Amino acid sequence: MFPNALKDFLTEDGAIFVSIDDNEVQHLRSIMDEVFGAKNHVATLIWKRRQTPDSRNVNGVSVDHEYVIVFGKGNVRFKGQAKDLTKYSNPNNDPNGPWMSDNLTGLADATERPNLHYEVVHPVTGRRYPPHSARGWICGPAKMQEYIAEGRILWPKSATGRPRLKRFMSDMKSDTTGFSSFLQAQANVAGTKEQRELFGDKVFAFPKPSDLITTLVEQNTDKDSLILDSFAGSGTTGHAVLMLNQADGGKRRFILVEMDEDICRNVTAKRLTRVIDGYGETPGLGGGYRFCTLGEPLFDEMGQTRAGIAFPDLAAHIFFTETGSPIPKRATGKTPLLGVHDSKAVYLLYNGVLDDKRPNSGNVLTGEVLRELPENDGPRVVYGSGCRLGEARLRRCGVVFKQIPYQIQVS
């Protein structure tokens, strides 16, 4: 599933996060560049996974961090971190609202930005304030005069003080600042602690702490987003999504995939049940989930339908990919009608022998087969090995034909 198929699952503004350590980060980045395109690299985040240094390494260096590599398909933007508004107040009842004292020092020396290196003169006392020798001021003389005329310069009372800027909260273009590439999240030990509280013991090695996943999900989802974790492990992602939904009233959904059946049933699913219903003195988060078991693969590595696939399995896949909903009931193969969703009927002409395309085999849509299809008032989509009918007749009958295996959606 990784990483080519996962790219297909992403929305145009969706992001994929991959956690990796120092040993493989350069190889992963090369693979991701190839699959997603280097231009779609969003960020490489750093997470301090160790709470205390490790002294067992032969070179004496404790590798305390991991990376989280972020890619997208196009328009991916982090929401950013909320600015600290507690710095703003209005002690003098300024009509422009709350304000804070901000630095007037710039970031460029006289060689880089000579226009930012000049003297600022107090309009009443005439006292002159030279620029910082290495950094200058934050703006040129004209803008500084505007600040002075508007009464936005805070003049120092002491002889050694420096002028400062009266910056209003209303000046802010956004209530967030850039998201730091250094992740503010707890270490692995916090994930282990969560496990012990949930299960009474450590049941999964090196679990991620829920606040790490919460931070990432919060930055890149809306309240109705769908989040996929293709390596679910202990179920931290599901836990994090439920926490966010409770916090902000969201209706985010999640899909967790875990290939180890024992872990899936006894760790992932149990964790979700307990955080939903509550455990110990911890109240439940609410929500719910559906547990599904994967069947045998329907497609080979080339995306072709595997030989010998049973009718019910292929039918369930076709109905879901065509409608986005599970098949109403397990198909028996006794009728080609799989079900109706939003007035659209879905049919499958398939008898288990993919290479049998004779008209009388029932796999090919002919006039006779069309007459035998169960009626439907809305549109009809028919999957089969072949079609003997022309486009004009199909349109008159409200039928769309899709050929097996080429027009079956694989993912």
Side-chain angles (χ1 to χ4, degrees):
M1 183 182 288
F2 177 81
N4 292 281
L6 293 179
K7 179 182 178 183
D8 295 334
F9 291 150
L10 278 180
T11 58
E12 290 305 312
D13 60 349
I16 179 171
F17 298 82
V18 188
S19 176
I20 197 76
D21 63 16
D22 252 345
N23 295 319
E24 297 293 342
V25 64
Q26 70 272 26
H27 300 130
L28 175 64
R29 177 62 194 271
S30 296
I31 293 172
M32 299 293 280
D33 281 346
E34 181 178 348
V35 173
F36 289 87
K39 66 179 182 179
N40 288 321
H41 171 248
V42 178
T44 297
L45 310 176
I46 301 171
W47 168 51
K48 190 177 186 301
R49 67 178 182 85
R50 276 191 157 299
Q51 185 168 287
T52 56
D54 181 6
S55 302
R56 296 170 294 179
N57 292 327
V58 294
N59 58 11
V61 177
S62 176
V63 181
D64 296 342
H65 67 282
E66 285 187 6
Y67 300 95
V68 179
I69 295 182
V70 189
F71 272 78
K73 291 172 71 174
N75 184 26
V76 177
R77 183 175 177 81
F78 281 46
K79 294 178 180 176
Q81 295 171 311
K83 291 180 179 177
D84 183 6
L85 302 183
T86 61
K87 298 178 181 179
Y88 291 88
S89 63
N90 196 1
N92 62 343
N93 294 317
D94 194 300
N96 292 306
W99 55 273
M100 62 173 286
S101 173
D102 202 3
N103 196 352
L104 271 172
T105 302
L107 296 172
D109 62 29
T111 302
E112 297 168 324
R113 295 291 300 274
N115 64 312
L116 300 182
H117 288 255
Y118 55 90
E119 288 188 328
V120 174
V121 181
H122 194 299
V124 176
T125 66
R127 182 175 177 181
R128 309 179 79 85
Y129 297 91
H132 189 287
S133 59
R135 302 174 64 179
W137 302 104
I138 63 170
C139 60
K143 186 64 177 178
M144 186 68 75
Q145 287 303 312
E146 286 184 25
Y147 285 148
I148 293 173
E150 293 169 356
R152 295 189 58 175
I153 300 300
L154 301 170
W155 302 103
K157 295 180 180 179
S158 68
T160 58
R162 300 279 295 171
R164 293 179 64 83
L165 176 65
K166 192 176 188 181
R167 190 177 297 280
F168 293 99
M169 186 186 293
S170 57
D171 292 337
M172 291 193 309
K173 296 179 179 179
S174 170
D175 57 3
T176 60
T177 186
F179 184 81
S180 174
S181 61
F182 185 78
L183 290 167
Q184 302 296 318
Q186 298 182 82
N188 257 340
V189 65
T192 301
K193 180 182 178 183
E194 285 180 334
Q195 272 197 15
R196 295 189 188 281
E197 292 174 349
L198 280 159
F199 297 102
D201 197 5
K202 180 180 178 180
V203 295
F204 191 86
F206 307 112
K208 298 288 192 296
S210 58
D211 75 320
L212 170 65
I213 310 301
T214 299
T215 298
L216 299 176
V217 172
E218 185 177 30
Q219 282 295 316
N220 288 271
T221 66
D222 298 319
K223 290 185 178 182
D224 59 351
S225 293
L226 175 62
I227 297 95
L228 167 67
D229 186 343
S230 55
F231 301 93
S234 67
T236 306
T237 296
H239 190 170
V241 171
L242 292 168
M243 290 171 64
L244 274 177
N245 283 345
Q246 186 193 57
D248 64 12
K251 295 182 179 179
R252 301 172 187 84
R253 296 167 296 154
F254 57 82
I255 298 174
L256 308 183
V257 181
E258 175 52 54
M259 299 302 291
D260 187 312
E261 185 174 353
D262 181 63
I263 291 176
C264 190
R265 290 187 179 277
N266 298 316
V267 180
T268 316
K270 283 188 177 180
R271 178 178 187 169
L272 293 176
T273 299
R274 289 176 181 176
V275 299
I276 287 170
D277 296 338
Y279 56 96
E281 296 183 359
T282 302
L285 297 173
Y289 69 93
R290 177 186 296 170
F291 189 102
C292 300
T293 302
L294 294 175
E296 291 297 317
L298 298 179
F299 308 96
D300 61 22
E301 63 276 6
M302 302 301 294
Q304 300 295 304
T305 311
R306 296 166 67 96
I309 294 299
F311 186 96
D313 296 331
L314 185 58
H317 176 81
I318 284 176
F319 190 87
F320 180 79
T321 56
E322 182 64 43
T323 67
S325 295
I327 194 168
K329 62 180 180 179
R330 183 172 174 81
T332 62
K334 295 181 179 180
T335 173
L337 178 61
L338 306 184
V340 180
H341 179 77
D342 287 344
S343 78
K344 179 171 68 176
V346 182
Y347 305 81
L348 174 60
L349 305 177
Y350 172 72
N351 65 1
V353 184
L354 289 176
D355 59 354
D356 184 357
K357 298 180 180 179
R358 295 172 298 169
N360 61 358
S361 72
N363 288 353
V364 176
L365 182 60
T366 63
E368 181 180 353
V369 172
L370 180 60
R371 287 190 292 270
E372 293 177 0
L373 293 181
E375 293 291 337
N376 182 58
D377 292 336
R380 296 186 287 179
V381 179
V382 180
Y383 285 80
S385 297
C387 179
R388 294 293 183 87
L389 307 179
E391 287 295 328
R393 183 172 179 183
L394 291 175
R395 284 195 299 270
R396 287 198 305 271
C397 297
V399 172
V400 173
F401 177 79
K402 295 188 177 182
Q403 188 177 19
I404 298 173
Y406 311 108
Q407 290 181 284
I408 298 177
Q409 188 176 338
V410 174
S411 59

